[in-house]
Amino acid sequence: MTFARISGTGGYLPERVMTNHELETIVDTSDEWIRDRSGIRQRHIAADNETTSDMALSAAREALAAAKVEVADIDLIIVATTTPDRVFPSVACTVQRKLGIHDIPAFDIHAACSGFMFALDVANRFVKTGGASNVLVIGAEIYSRILDWSDRATCVLFGDGAGAVVLQAAEEAGIVSTHIHSNGKHEELLYVSGSVGDRGTERQSDAAFIKMRGNEIFRKAVAALGNIARETLAGNGITKSDLSWLVPHQANLRIISATAKKLCLPMERVVVTVDQHANTSSASIPLALDVAVRDGRIKRGDLLLFEAFGAGLTWGSALVKY
Ligand code: UT7
């Protein structure tokens, strides 16, 4: 039987750091409120000439180097993003062009903050069924371009960045299981305004900006993430104490702590980057994974639980033997 294994990780964060104090000069907020309610201290913001595919490419190159895989050996590229350079082509096709390879399949997955979980699920299926053996799975987002910088309820929460993994065919898991869910019923709780046909000149309100009913999303996220953690453990016949690390989507430290508590995991076993990166949507899990792999906390053989929740609504998890 063939399994998929994470053989390398990579990450990219734009150079420019925006602190909470800088945000105090833009909207009616305070460093204290942002830290208390979300755990965020700073976020990285892409330069004007930087694109999602640029960031995705940098993260991918790091992951390939870590995995010691040549670009020419990649046989599938999947990018999770909701902030592509353009409506089309996909970021995955642009990354493919920038890597100088062609003819292999490359496509984007759109599942908002859960995007990396959906991308990992699809990539895992490709590898397990023999459709690919060296896959680049990337999460990359440039939310600074879809933030309303006059809306304090959203602009303080997000940041830009990219994370990537190389998934390779192996004789042992690897990706032990993936679990993905969607429910379109609550789409009004978190969405981007405007639609593809809008010309954007007559009505400023048509511009593409994130709109979020934060409090309601918060409660749904805590409930869904608790459920999916239970589903993942039960589905694999393991218990909370078998987990080495929780690598969660980084939306809010309070959501992360609530999930860790349900799993009886001390915060020392939880990878937290939300303080430094804020919410980078589908980039947040591969970025957090890369940070903890590179600083030596996550080691080969550790059992990891990834979990994410986002617009759609969408949510997902993966149990991973690193
Ligand atoms: O990754 C995708 C999913 N996204 C999430 O998971 C985010 C989920 N939601 C959250 O993280 C939290 O709901 C927030 C951090 C967005 C907000 O925290 P909260 O504890 O739910 O606050 P709230 O929305 O209930 O607002 C409390 C108060 C309000 O004032 P009043 O009405 O009580 O006077 C807001 O107007 O805080 C006010 N407020 C702010 N004050 C200072 C909202 N944003 C700000 C701000 N600075 N930036």
Side-chain angles (χ1 to χ4, degrees):
M1 205 164 157
T2 305
F3 295 92
R5 174 181 169 269
I6 294 178
S7 57
T9 66
Y12 175 82
L13 290 159
E15 204 178 311
R16 169 153 156 56
V17 170
M18 185 187 273
T19 62
N20 292 348
H21 291 297
E22 187 177 346
L23 276 164
E24 288 173 348
T25 67
I26 299 173
V27 281
D28 179 16
T29 191
S30 66
D31 172 51
E32 192 188 0
W33 189 94
I34 302 170
R35 275 191 287 109
D36 278 2
R37 306 315 297 160
S38 71
I40 297 165
R41 292 171 180 271
Q42 62 169 50
R43 71 285 295 138
H44 291 251
I45 302 291
D48 288 346
N49 62 355
E50 221 165 9
T51 62
T52 299
S53 65
D54 291 334
M55 297 193 292
L57 180 70
S58 298
R61 284 200 192 284
E62 259 199 22
L64 287 167
K68 299 190 174 57
V69 167
E70 297 297 326
V71 169
D73 293 327
I74 291 296
D75 51 12
L76 172 65
I77 302 172
I78 304 179
V79 177
T81 188
T82 42
T83 45
D85 300 0
R86 293 175 286 189
V87 173
F88 58 78
S90 65
V91 173
C93 282
T94 304
V95 168
Q96 182 188 32
R97 172 178 63 75
K98 290 178 177 175
L99 284 171
I101 47 178
H102 47 84
D103 289 345
I104 59 157
F107 57 88
D108 288 359
I109 292 238
H110 185 312
C113 293
S114 314
F116 189 74
M117 292 296 83
F118 282 64
L120 201 65
D121 179 281
V122 173
N124 184 42
R125 291 174 198 274
F126 265 91
V127 174
K128 283 174 81 170
T129 54
S133 31
N134 296 297
V135 188
L136 260 177
V137 190
I138 307 169
E141 302 281 9
I142 196 154
Y143 269 40
S144 59
R145 304 266 162 89
I146 57 165
L147 287 174
D148 175 353
W149 290 97
S150 65
D151 176 16
R152 68 176 185 174
T154 52
C155 75
V156 304
L157 300 173
F158 296 91
D160 300 333
V165 302
V166 174
L167 268 198
Q168 288 193 280
E171 283 170 12
E172 279 175 50
I175 309 296
V176 181
S177 70
T178 54
H179 308 258
I180 52 174
H181 298 272
S182 304
N183 182 355
K185 207 166 74 180
H186 302 293
E187 63 179 26
E188 78 291 351
L189 298 183
L190 181 52
Y191 64 95
V192 172
S193 56
S195 37
V196 170
D198 291 339
R199 292 290 177 259
T201 46
E202 296 129 45
R203 288 186 300 158
Q204 188 52 35
S205 59
D206 283 342
F209 289 140
I210 293 180
K211 307 279 180 190
M212 179 168 70
R213 282 166 34 197
N215 204 282
E216 288 161 77
I217 282 288
F218 185 99
R219 280 186 269 121
K220 292 211 179 301
V222 170
L225 293 171
N227 288 341
I228 207 162
R230 270 193 299 278
E231 174 189 331
T232 310
L233 298 181
N236 290 288
I238 60 167
T239 63
K240 297 164 185 174
S241 60
D242 293 317
L243 293 175
S244 317
W245 290 97
L246 175 65
V247 188
H249 168 50
Q250 310 280 325
N252 185 314
L253 187 58
R254 290 185 293 140
I255 298 177
I256 295 172
S257 311
T259 309
K261 200 169 166 196
K262 286 181 186 168
L263 288 165
C264 303
L265 272 179
M267 288 307 281
E268 295 76 52
R269 306 307 287 174
V270 182
V271 181
V272 174
T273 53
V274 68
D275 55 332
Q276 300 297 307
H277 304 170
N279 182 348
T280 59
S281 189
S282 56
S284 86
I285 289 176
L287 262 172
L289 174 68
D290 184 55
V291 166
V293 165
R294 281 174 197 272
D295 69 21
R297 273 178 291 169
I298 292 181
K299 299 190 172 51
R300 286 284 165 206
D302 282 353
L303 194 60
L304 318 178
L305 178 65
F306 300 166
E307 44 87 341
F309 181 91
L313 302 173
T314 55
W315 62 106
S317 67
L319 187 71
V320 177
K321 184 113 185 259
Y322 182 67

